[in-house]
Amino acid sequence: MRSAKIVGLGKYLPPKVLTNADLEKIVDTTDEWITTRTGIKERRIVEKGVGSSHLAYEAAKIALKRADLKVQDIDLIIVASITPDNQFPSTACYLQRHLGARCACCFDISAACAGFVYALSCAWQFIKGGLYKNALVVGSEVLSSITDFSDRSTCVLFGDGAGAAVLTASDKESFLSAYMGGDGSQSDILILPAGGSRMPASHETVDQKLHYIKMKGNELFRVAVRVMVDAASRVLKQAGLESKDVTLLIPHQANNRIIKAVAKRLNMPLDKVYVNIAQYGNMSSASSAVALCEAWEEGRIKKDDIVVLDAFGGGLVWGSCVIRWV
Ligand code: UT7
C-alpha cells in the first residue's frame, strides 16, 4: 500500500538572539516573570527585510540534502505560515523560486501554530492518494514582524524561525494517524486584526496598532490544554496505541506550563516530552517543525520510534499526528 515517510529534516534559526534581559530594557517585565510564567529565556529575531521564505529556504536546503533529493524531484511544496512574505503570491511560490524548483504544486496553509501538523497531514494524504511523490513541507515564521514590542503581554512570547521536512512515497506505513480540528467561534482570542480584506491597512489601523498580534492569553491557555489532550488522545486511539507506546511527544511550544499540563493529562513522563521553548519561544507553525528536526538531530528519534506531534493555535485550530519513524 502506498503511503509517505519523512526522509529529511532541516531547521533554520536567525542568528540574532533577543534575551529576556534585552526585553527588560524595552518593556516593564522581568526575566523572572517570563521564565516562571512561560519557560522562555530567549528567542531569535530576523534582521530587517528577511521574510518567511528566506528562513524556509535555509531550512529546506538542509532537509533536501539530508533526504538526498534534488530540488527538481519535489513536486509539492506546502508552507505553513501566518507571516507570509506577502498576502500573495504564496510563500511556497517564493520558496520554489529561491530553490529553483520547477513545476511543483505550491500553496500556503494558514493554521497558525497548528500549521505544520496541518501541512504534514495534507502532504501525507496527497502522497498516499497518488497525486504527488515527493513533498517539501515547511513551517516558517517571522513573528517579530507582527509583534508589538511595546506590549509586554505578547512581545516576550514570540520568535522567528523555520523547520522543514521532506516526505516521499513509501510502501511502509509511517504516518499512523492524524486529526485536525477547529473552532472559528473563538477567532477573536488570538488575532491579527488588520491588513486583510475586512480591514485593509490604513493610517487609522497603523495608529491603532492593529497590525500586531492581539491575544487573550488566559482564555487561550484553558482551551489549549483541553484540545491538545483531546487531539493527542484521538490520534493515539486511531493508531491503536496508548501513551506508554509513545517514544516522544512533541507539543507546540507556547508555554511550558501548557506543555506540562498536557503531558500530565496524557500520562506522559516529562522525559518523553520534547521542550525547546527556553531557546526559541513560540514560533507558531515553525515550533513543531524546528522541534521535530532538533529532536531528530539530538538522537531522540530513532528507527521504529513512535512520535506524536500535538499543536494548537489561533483560529482556533489544533491538530495531532502519530508517526512511526522508518
Ligand atoms: O501559540 C498559540 C497559543 N498561545 C497560547 O496558547 C498562549 C496561552 N497563554 C499563555 O501562555 C499565558 O496566558 C501567558 C503567558 C500569555 C500569560 O500568562 P498568565 O499567567 O496567564 O498571565 P496573565 O495574562 O494572567 O497576567 C498576570 C499578570 C497581569 O498583571 P495583574 O493584572 O495581575 O497585575 C499582567 O499584566 O502578569 C502581568 N503581565 C506581565 N508582567 C510582567 C503580563 N505580561 C507580563 C510581562 N511581564 N511580560
Side-chain angles (χ1 to χ4, degrees), residues 53 84-95 97 106-108:
S53 71
D85 286 26
N86 296 68
Q87 280 213 5
F88 78 94
S90 70
T91 301
C93 278
Y94 280 121
L95 174 59
R97 184 163 88 177
C106 303
F107 66 93
D108 289 1

Side-chain angles (χ1 to χ4, degrees), residues 27-30 33-34 37-38 113 152-154 156-158 190 215-218 220-221 224 252 254-255 257-258 282 284 312-314:
V27 284
D28 180 17
T29 191
T30 58
W33 191 96
I34 304 170
R37 297 288 181 124
T38 72
C113 310
R152 70 174 184 175
S153 71
T154 52
V156 301
L157 305 173
F158 302 110
L190 181 52
M215 187 174 97
K216 292 180 184 151
N218 270 317
L220 270 176
F221 195 111
H252 173 51
N255 187 316
R257 289 184 293 143
I258 294 178
N282 180 350
S284 192
F312 159 82

Side-chain angles (χ1 to χ4, degrees), residues 9-11 116-117 137-140 162-165 250 276 283-295 309:
L9 294 168
K11 69 174 200 291
F116 186 67
V117 175
V137 177
V138 187
S140 186
I250 303 183
N276 64 5
M283 299 182 289
S284 192
S285 72
S287 281
S288 300
V290 168
L292 177 64
C293 176
E294 208 161 74
L309 295 179

Side-chain angles (χ1 to χ4, degrees), residues 87 193-206 210-211:
Q87 280 213 5
S197 53
R198 202 152 36 123
M199 203 191 291
S202 66
H203 289 293
E204 288 75 31
T205 61
V206 172
L210 297 178
H211 298 274

Side-chain angles (χ1 to χ4, degrees), residues 202-267:
S202 66
H203 289 293
E204 288 75 31
T205 61
V206 172
D207 291 344
Q208 290 167 31
K209 298 190 169 183
L210 297 178
H211 298 274
Y212 294 127
I213 300 170
K214 307 287 176 202
M215 187 174 97
K216 292 180 184 151
N218 270 317
E219 290 176 41
L220 270 176
F221 195 111
R222 281 192 293 275
V223 189
V225 175
R226 181 169 52 79
V227 297
M228 285 173 74
V229 170
D230 178 62
S233 306
R234 278 174 194 255
V235 288
L236 282 173
K237 196 168 171 209
Q238 271 174 38
L241 298 170
E242 295 173 28
S243 295
K244 66 173 173 43
D245 302 315
V246 177
T247 317
L248 196 64
L249 171 69
I250 303 183
H252 173 51
Q253 311 282 311
N255 187 316
N256 212 9
R257 289 184 293 143
I258 294 178
I259 294 172
K260 283 184 178 161
V262 169
K264 191 170 175 201
R265 284 171 175 72
L266 287 172
N267 254 328

Side-chain angles (χ1 to χ4, degrees), residues 135-203:
L136 174 60
V137 177
V138 187
S140 186
E141 303 285 3
V142 179
L143 293 180
S144 59
S145 66
I146 54 167
T147 298
D148 178 357
F149 281 96
S150 66
D151 174 9
R152 70 174 184 175
S153 71
T154 52
C155 76
V156 301
L157 305 173
F158 302 110
D160 303 336
V166 175
L167 279 69
T168 194
S170 165
D171 54 4
K172 292 203 177 82
E173 199 64 82
S174 174
F175 284 82
L176 303 186
S177 57
Y179 168 74
M180 288 164 279
D183 178 6
S185 71
Q186 301 197 67
S187 341
D188 293 343
I189 64 177
L190 181 52
I191 187 169
L192 187 75
S197 53
R198 202 152 36 123
M199 203 191 291
S202 66
H203 289 293

Side-chain angles (χ1 to χ4, degrees), residues 71-93:
V71 96
Q72 290 77 10
D73 299 325
I74 297 296
D75 49 12
L76 172 65
I77 300 177
I78 310 177
V79 174
S81 187
I82 51 163
T83 49
D85 286 26
N86 296 68
Q87 280 213 5
F88 78 94
S90 70
T91 301
C93 278

